[in-house]
Amino acid sequence: MNLFGPMFTPALLLLAGGCAGTGLAFAVLLRHPGRHAHRVYAGMAAAVAVWSFGAGVAMLSATDAVAWAAMAGAFAAASLFPALFYHFCASFPDQRFEGIRVLDVLLCAGGAMLALGAFSPWFLAHVAAGQPPVVLYGPLFMAHVSL
């Protein structure tokens, strides 16, 4: 593993972003743990942190297996972004959900299915460690992009 290769700075920034997202999630949740919009925002910040950590670890990984697991985790977290963002927008600032329930359920169900699917070869066929990692996407990846 070459820590000072061409991907070191972007990977370091992604790992720092993951730390910032984790800190933000905890800060918001600890400030007002009972408020619905704060819990959803903390979930969004945590999902961004997981995505950021996954991308950063994949860039620094020395083996294909670690790079694949990191990318799968990053895509699983990213699959939840649309549902979390919609739910947050529909819950803020009144602290209760005022959006379209059917859309919320569809986004949550689709995100959950894609998050689980991210750990299958149908989503990521192969990830070769390197700087940057080389990713061969499976057929389920287009569903992720469309959500």
Side-chain angles (χ1 to χ4, degrees):
M1 170 173 39
N2 182 4
L3 285 182
F4 298 102
M7 289 291 109
F8 178 70
T9 301
L12 188 63
L13 291 173
L14 284 165
L15 295 175
C19 291
T22 303
L24 182 61
F26 279 116
V28 168
L29 198 56
L30 291 175
R31 174 86 178 171
H32 294 290
R35 292 189 176 175
H36 180 72
H38 287 213
R39 289 192 308 267
V40 176
Y41 187 83
M44 277 189 344
V48 170
V50 170
W51 171 83
S52 188
F53 280 131
V57 168
M59 287 182 175
L60 296 176
S61 64
T63 66
D64 292 353
V66 171
W68 185 88
M71 290 297 289
F75 281 121
S79 297
L80 303 175
F81 290 169
L84 289 168
F85 183 72
Y86 177 72
H87 200 86
F88 173 73
C89 290
S91 301
F92 188 79
D94 296 330
Q95 302 301 325
R96 66 181 184 279
F97 183 77
E98 295 181 0
I100 302 168
R101 287 277 179 203
V102 173
L103 180 59
D104 190 47
V105 168
L106 289 174
L107 287 172
C108 289
M113 286 189 294
L114 287 175
L116 291 174
F119 293 96
S120 77
W122 285 80
F123 198 93
L124 291 173
H126 181 71
V127 179
Q131 296 191 2
V134 178
V135 180
L136 177 63
Y137 298 105
L140 188 58
F141 181 75
M142 289 311 293
H144 171 79
V145 172
S146 66
L147 184 66

